[in-house]
Amino acid sequence: MGIDKALDAKDAALLVNTCITHNLAPVLSLEQGLDRIKEALEDLKANPPPCSSGMYRFQLAVPPSAKALNWFCSQPEASDVFPLFFLSNEENPTYKSLSLGRTRGVFGIGSAVIFEESSPHASQKSSAIRRYLSAEPTSSKAYGFLDIEFDTKMSTIKHQNGSIYFFIPQIELDEFEDIPFLIATLAWDDSSMCTFNEAVQRFELTFDQARRSCGNGSQLIRSSLLKFNSAEKHREMVRANAMLLDGKHLEASTLKLGDNLSCCSQFVARLSSTLSIANNMNQSDETNQVSNITQDFPNINALWAYLIVEECTRLAPGSRSSPLTIAAASHPLTTCIACIDERSLAFHALGYAKGSQKPAVVITSSGTAVSNLFPAVVEASQSFVPLLLLTADRPPELIDVGANQAINQVNHFGTFARQFFSLPPPTDDISAKLVLTTIDSAVFKATSSPNGPIHINCPFREPLGNSPRNWNRNCISGLDFWISNAEPFTNYIPLQQSLTCNNASGQMTEVLKLIQGANNGILVLGSIHKENDMWAALLLAKHLSWPVVVDIQSGLRLRKYLSSFLDSKDILFVDQLDQLLLSDSVRAWMQADVIIQIGSRITGRRISQMIEHCTPCSYIMVDDHPGRHDPSHIMTHRIQSTITEFSDCLIKCCTPGVSKKWGDIIRGLDTTAAWETSFIIDSEQSLTEPYVARKIFETIRCGSALFYGNSMPIRDADMYGSNWVQCTHSDSLMLSTGLPCHPVHVSGNRGASGIDGLISTAIGFAVGCNKRVLFVIGDISFLHDTNGLALLRQRTHRKPMVILVVNNHGGAIFSQLQVANTTERSILDQFFYTSHNVSIRDLCTAHGVKHVQVQTKRDLQDALFTSQREDVDCVVEVESGIDTNVAFHSNLRDFTRKASDHALNILSKLSVADSNSQDLMHFKINKMDYSLYRVQLNAPPTSASMSSNNTTSYREGFVISLSLEDGSIGFGEVAPLEIHKENLLDVEEQLRFLIHAMKGKTINNILPLLKSSVSSWIWNSLGIPVGSIFPSVRCGLEMAVLSAIASTQGSTLLEILHPAREESSSKMSSSAVQICALIDSYGSPMDTAFIASNLVAEGFTAIKIKVARRADPDEDIATIQEVRRKVGQHIVLRADANRKWTYDEAVKFARSVKDCCLQYIEEPVNNEDDIVKFCEETDVPVALDETINCIKENPLEVLQKYSHSGIVALVIKPGVIGGFEKAALFARWARQHGKMAVVSAAFESSLGLSAYIQFARYLDLQNVEIQSLMNNKPAPITAHGFGTYKWFKEEVTAETLNIRSDPDHGSVEADAVDAGRFLQKCRINHDVVVRTSIQEQVRQYQIAVDTGGVAFTTNVLETGESIDGTAVVFLHGFLGTGRDWIPIMKAISSSTRCIAIDLPGHGGSKLQYHGINGSDQPNLSIDVVVDILCKVLNNLTPQKVILVGYSMGARISLYTALNCSDKVEKAVIISGSPGLIDNDARAIRKAKDDFRASTLVSNGLDFFMEAWYAEGLWASLRSHPHFKEIVSNRLQHNDLHTLGKVLSGLSIGRQPSLWEDLKHCKVPLQIIVGEKDVKFKAIAREMYAKISHENGSINSPPVAEIPNAGHSVHLENPLALITALRQFIKGEKNT
């Protein structure tokens, strides 16, 4: 194709920054990835872009088996394409690691763009490239050299200071940490480089070579690298982010290392057929030793040993193995590990093979040294791990004659070795080729299915050292070719036939039909050893959409997620099945019809039992070995195939369905068990072993691996490990993969499941996998292999590792078995637990290993965080105890069993009405309405000030009515109190928003589980961050949703929260809820005592008295003393200070009323940090109220501070803390810690009270179960805080809630059953309704205006009427429409006229040019668009307007506010920028937007939007559950030509910079930005600084950062935005 043309830096910058990136779907192999790119290129060729220059980039995630070095080494020597390069990604690259194929890096082929600069003048030193960003594969990378000039014609280089030579590959593979990316780049420039067609032809030439050579090149690494001995030497190759070229001169002297630019000292680049540049890619002595084979070896033993050791990487010391030892130690490519214990050494080799998936070689001396390998050989055989055992031996004449250290080593390992070879003693009578072919055959056998250990016995005669003895060189004849290269003597080439739809056998066709027809399918992922297979299993799980049961060793039990909230549409991983199967009812229900198991071993015994219980069903086992693994004899189909091949076949040939009901119930059960497990573990204050199992995974970073010891550590991890951990990779990187999560490599010795050699294996695993490894082991296993600690000090080619020892001073697993219940403790301690007092610290000290001991949760978190970031090995010892461990595990099992039973009971009862359906019952919401009520009270609420006593008091709130399509209706109450930082206006706006957001959404029967189910529904269905809903709104919404679900079943709220089981219904016959009376004690002590005595006369047995109403606590003291005297000791008294006392005042009160026997004082001190101190000093019981109301995040972590026994109760107001789900969590924590959970009203009406009464009864029933499970005495009856009902003079409902004194119980109480019927048949008292919500219609009309020969017609959406005539006009961003604003407009339109318009090219807008054609048509510059906007505004209103603009609309709003202030009263700038100042940056951005516009017009919206939303700016939006729906709405634009003109004309590169204009802004601006939008947060702060510093008189409030939102604030967190908008529009203080 000729010589590639190089661009100068400025042209390169313009071209590279036009780059459009497309993310393609992940694939199962590198070959598939290339095919996917080829398809994308063909689509591009079918619609070639019309522009004269541009750049496209396609990228996709490929499996970890794609190796850059292998691909480079597979390139033909007579390549047609240049450059070709490999660049190492390793921090400390070595040739040895490289030669063994362990080095991760980047392979590139071809050049899409070349740019270079010759040595610049000194005067140009100041203008340099901007510093590059970190090298992630989410933007184009340029590779090249500093201080080099490359003459392409002469194919020569010369070193020239200040010169640079960079290129962007056409195809590259970047092994970025644990996710390789395949990237293809196509670039053209008609004027300076090539045309589009020429670029395609060049790319296809490169592609063809890359595709032909993408096979496994691992066998060719050493021979390929030898070719670069004569390459030109250069110190470093550079990788930089090509997207950040600023067009200024590139200079080597000004480029700086760091996060923004990476230089690598290990690389090779073939720049032409005659020129290569390399560094650290070869080792000279390797060539010399092989070439001097005829001269270097003093005797035949040394020769044979050398030939054997060509593959050796591990050895053990010993005399008879001297020839092998010396050869291995002398060989430049062997990694030699010596250990005093052959057993440890063998396990180390086993671990290496597990981690690297390559056979490790073990060398031992003769005799019992060989026998010491046996345990590791057994494990290798059982777990199909390749090992090569080279055992030195005596010659045959010394066997069985009494010679020292001589035993019969023939077939020493029996059937555990896949094959046994016995070499003859070395002799020059036999061709040395025997040695090579034997080794080659052994390695092939070890790595062929079934993988496993191979034993080669190597007898040697004297001399064993380097003593010279003549040998005949004829024995090495025929080795010339082998000597001249680095390839094996015999290359074994396995022919594999992949499973495809076309070649599937009859039996495989049958399997595909079974899978296709499954209704209740389950995918079980057992032990998976290869990262490639983990990747394939993940893609298969995504495709099948079946519930996926994951074993701890599958790599997918512990996963890293991008999103902070799991999407219900993601893969359904069933992490808790082992826990769920503790329940008999779940076990009986779990009946799959088809089970696919990938990977033959499963850790969880109950899962294996469940599979057996499902018979007769189709049970399909897939593994790559022929071994039998069917202990229950139930397998119906056994497929011997790699996981990748099987997954590929299923993905291509099969699209099975699954019963939604089956999946939904399993999801509900798994969610319940996960919540229960998490709650029990996290709420326990002490450090427990399940907590260790849970937290370990949360601390490791992406790219790390885990190794688990046997017995309890791996079982705890399997059952209790975190099922969701946030990924530490960047958002843009993870989103580029197209997968919701990625696997984490987990391994262990589960073949024979022994406890020996685990330390040694884990260290070997760390070497083999080349990652940071966190190893978890029990104390007995640790002590069993302390010799392995000696291996830690030999830190050879290994990253630091952390060994976490769970030390419970014995074998704790036996405490979990039946033997522990029937055996004397002394026998258990001595013979089962093998109890000990060995100091692990002293052992570590003896071996020179860092040791850290932890005893608390905080200690553990700190130790793991620190050790994971240090560059030293570390042993972290967790102190535990067998007895406490047994008790806690028992607790966990009991509670999880109970929770599983309860969940299945709920889900079964609620779905029974449609038992024939394959779907769990989902109900569509028809509409939501609300009514504002105003009812008169008998007295002011206790939250009101004393001055309001003389006036008539009212209570205002909202009643929500939720109507479902089947006619069912649910009611909820939203009753905010000002003291809780909510007001009616705030609340009503959220309700107005929800009316719009809820319509057409579905609710399902999982919601009553109340274990994250409601939060998940709010996020996944409504798309609202759960923290953005006001607590009172959240409570009312939950009340309405749950009561609507109850209505569909003809049930009550209580019945769906706690369905009665037949066997327990008689025990729970009473449904009474005792009520505590309330007194607001503003009167004298005598007055308050009089009221109290009247309440007692009415039947109340519990009274709460409000205190701290006066300046001095003395009157409160007198009041309590008088009340107690008046009512007697049998009445429960509570006091509530509402945090109004100082610490000293509270102490004074407590000490004075101590004899009054208060049940508790609520919130006695004004500083929550003094609560525990108060308890300890006064010994008076305390209850929390306001303290828990303030807890927004991590509630269990915060509550741990209040586990003190002096805190006896939590007073839980669902309407204040945010609904029933959160209230249930707080109540559960309280009950779990022996505290009361008192449900309290916040002056809700009888409607809300009826729901609270049922909820309180549900908690009381739950408490009975909790106390029973904890073997506690039944808890006393709790009187709940519903005495506020006496405040209501009027009621919201037509009927009155029945609260009465029950003479049988001797107390005032409500009946939960009556309350359920009351809510079920609720009728609103219309006399107290102020107004009802109106389903406001959005009016749609068009406005036409003319400007500069252009006729513009825009679509206008309008709703609401303004009280003061103000209109708020909303402007959308690029690709949006006015409809984007409808939910927000509806929310604020109760008193505001809201208008949204479609900007030119968008939605329903139209543009016509009067008699102007082609190039004469005016650009749609910002001046033109603002002129159009102003004319539209004049048509809308003669008054000033408030502009609200997002992104592109924000720039238009800002420009209008600055230049047309006569039309703008205020402006809200959301995610907007005043423009670019730098001219080069403007030119680049203009070129980029012009190319984007061209692509939009030529390739259509689908193609364009794939690339548009692939950019990092949209990372947060892409993780939104409604992202696909949002994108679908963006595809509605019809006028692509005008849309393209808008993108080009309104480019921020063409827009004049407004930074200086901000100084003179006369219009108040509210700048709003998402907290995740790093780029625009910085811009927003700069804008505000410019406005406030230069123009302080303008009333512009500070920047409002919207939480849980990125760039698309209005879509990602609309409720928070609504509040910010109203505050600015109404001139309120921004809170």
Side-chain angles (χ1 to χ4, degrees), residues 13 33 107 137 193 247 249 399 419 657 817 946 1037 1086 1153 1297 1404:
F107 163 69
M193 200 168 70
H249 289 289
I399 301 299
Q419 194 155 356
L817 305 179
M946 189 174 180
L1037 179 63
M1086 296 294 292
V1153 300
L1297 183 63

Side-chain angles (χ1 to χ4, degrees), residues 1226-1243:
F1226 285 153
R1228 179 66 186 281
W1229 181 88
R1231 298 287 173 60
Q1232 205 80 27
H1233 288 78
K1235 306 180 191 303
M1236 288 184 287
V1238 180
V1239 183
S1240 180
F1243 290 91

Side-chain angles (χ1 to χ4, degrees), residues 814-889:
F814 295 103
S815 64
Q816 309 289 331
L817 305 179
Q818 185 61 36
V819 67
N821 299 324
T822 58
T823 308
E824 290 182 18
R825 182 56 187 258
S826 60
I827 296 175
L828 286 172
D829 285 337
Q830 184 175 359
F831 297 104
F832 290 91
Y833 300 162
T834 54
S835 302
H836 67 90
N837 288 309
V838 178
S839 169
I840 289 175
R841 176 190 296 276
D842 290 347
L843 281 171
C844 292
T845 302
H847 285 276
V849 178
K850 180 181 176 182
H851 175 276
V852 176
Q853 188 147 16
V854 300
Q855 294 181 321
T856 66
K857 289 182 174 181
R858 174 54 61 188
D859 288 347
L860 178 67
Q861 291 171 20
D862 292 345
L864 289 174
F865 180 85
T866 303
S867 60
Q868 284 282 301
R869 285 154 181 81
E870 291 181 334
D871 194 35
V872 296
D873 297 317
C874 180
V875 172
V876 177
E877 181 185 355
V878 177
E879 191 68 27
S880 182
I882 288 180
D883 293 335
T884 55
N885 186 42
V886 169
F888 189 73
H889 274 84

Side-chain angles (χ1 to χ4, degrees), residues 1091-1371:
I1091 296 171
S1093 62
N1094 286 341
L1095 290 171
V1096 171
E1098 291 178 29
F1100 284 99
T1101 56
I1103 300 172
K1104 181 167 81 172
I1105 302 170
K1106 290 283 185 176
V1107 293
R1109 296 300 205 248
R1110 306 166 182 82
D1112 193 310
D1114 286 341
E1115 285 193 60
D1116 290 313
I1117 294 168
T1119 297
I1120 296 297
Q1121 291 172 341
E1122 181 60 24
V1123 170
R1124 175 55 80 196
R1125 189 188 66 78
K1126 192 80 171 176
V1127 301
Q1129 294 296 323
H1130 65 288
I1131 299 298
V1132 173
L1133 287 187
R1134 303 167 179 170
D1136 184 3
N1138 292 113
R1139 285 187 166 185
K1140 292 182 178 178
W1141 276 326
T1142 66
Y1143 183 78
D1144 290 339
E1145 289 171 335
V1147 169
K1148 178 181 179 182
F1149 174 85
R1151 285 175 173 164
S1152 301
V1153 300
K1154 197 166 186 178
D1155 293 338
C1156 295
C1157 299
L1158 293 179
Q1159 189 177 42
Y1160 57 70
I1161 306 175
E1162 223 172 289
E1163 297 288 354
V1165 291
N1166 55 15
N1167 185 346
E1168 64 185 53
D1169 294 334
D1170 288 335
I1171 292 174
V1172 173
K1173 178 183 171 185
F1174 173 86
C1175 294
E1176 292 174 344
E1177 184 169 341
T1178 66
D1179 204 27
V1180 171
V1182 167
L1184 303 183
D1185 179 1
E1186 286 85 355
T1187 297
I1188 64 170
N1189 296 342
C1190 299
I1191 300 175
K1192 304 301 179 188
E1193 295 181 352
N1194 304 316
L1196 294 181
E1197 190 175 317
V1198 177
L1199 284 170
Q1200 289 299 336
K1201 297 190 299 184
Y1202 305 111
S1203 57
H1204 190 278
S1205 60
I1207 299 171
V1208 300
L1210 300 190
V1211 178
I1212 303 166
K1213 299 186 176 80
V1216 178
I1217 65 170
F1220 299 116
E1221 186 176 86
K1222 196 170 181 181
L1225 171 67
F1226 285 153
R1228 179 66 186 281
W1229 181 88
R1231 298 287 173 60
Q1232 205 80 27
H1233 288 78
K1235 306 180 191 303
M1236 288 184 287
V1238 180
V1239 183
S1240 180
F1243 290 91
E1244 286 87 357
S1245 72
S1246 56
L1247 189 150
L1249 215 55
S1250 66
Y1252 289 174
I1253 288 166
Q1254 295 177 78
F1255 180 65
R1257 180 59 185 159
Y1258 158 66
L1259 295 182
D1260 288 345
L1261 292 172
Q1262 189 183 65
N1263 189 38
V1264 172
E1265 296 170 353
I1266 291 171
Q1267 302 311 317
S1268 174
L1269 287 172
M1270 297 178 73
N1271 295 317
N1272 293 338
K1273 294 178 180 178
I1277 294 173
T1278 300
H1280 295 281
F1282 302 142
T1284 53
Y1285 79 93
K1286 295 181 75 68
W1287 261 250
F1288 283 78
K1289 189 172 185 177
E1290 293 179 297
E1291 267 301 347
V1292 172
T1293 53
E1295 291 83 19
T1296 303
L1297 183 63
N1298 186 14
I1299 297 176
R1300 66 188 188 282
S1301 174
D1302 187 322
D1304 294 333
H1305 296 156
S1307 63
V1308 173
E1309 44 190 49
D1311 187 279
V1313 174
D1314 287 347
R1317 297 194 192 101
F1318 178 88
L1319 183 59
Q1320 194 178 19
K1321 299 177 180 180
C1322 173
R1323 290 187 300 116
I1324 305 300
N1325 176 10
H1326 294 287
D1327 293 340
V1328 301
V1329 173
V1330 178
R1331 54 182 164 80
T1332 58
S1333 58
I1334 300 172
Q1335 298 285 346
E1336 290 181 353
Q1337 296 302 310
V1338 176
R1339 301 182 295 282
Q1340 182 171 330
Y1341 55 92
Q1342 293 191 323
I1343 291 178
V1345 297
D1346 284 351
T1347 179
V1350 178
F1352 173 66
T1353 304
T1354 184
N1355 195 53
V1356 180
L1357 301 171
E1358 181 175 344
T1359 187
E1361 294 184 6
S1362 175
I1363 297 172
D1364 57 5
T1366 302
V1368 181
V1369 177
F1370 293 86
L1371 305 180

Side-chain angles (χ1 to χ4, degrees), residues 524 592-595 597 602 605-621 628-638:
V524 178
D593 55 2
V594 177
I595 298 172
Q597 182 177 328
I602 301 174
R605 179 172 52 89
R606 283 181 289 271
I607 293 174
S608 298
Q609 292 170 344
M610 181 273 294
I611 295 173
E612 183 178 357
H613 182 71
C614 287
T615 55
C617 73
S618 297
Y619 177 30
I620 304 161
M621 169 79 77
R628 181 182 181 189
H629 197 93
D630 184 21
S632 300
H633 314 294
I634 54 174
M635 193 181 300
T636 59
H637 300 80
R638 175 66 167 88

Side-chain angles (χ1 to χ4, degrees), residues 86-88 93-95 98 145 225 228-229 231-237 263-269 276-283:
F86 169 79
L87 175 139
S88 171
T94 65
Y95 174 67
L98 190 78
F145 303 95
L225 298 182
F228 299 105
N229 288 342
E232 293 268 357
K233 299 298 179 186
H234 192 68
R235 188 165 52 88
E236 292 172 328
M237 188 172 182
C263 293
C264 180
S265 61
Q266 186 174 62
F267 65 89
V268 57
S276 297
I277 307 176
N279 190 54
N280 199 17
M281 295 296 291
N282 56 58
Q283 191 160 317

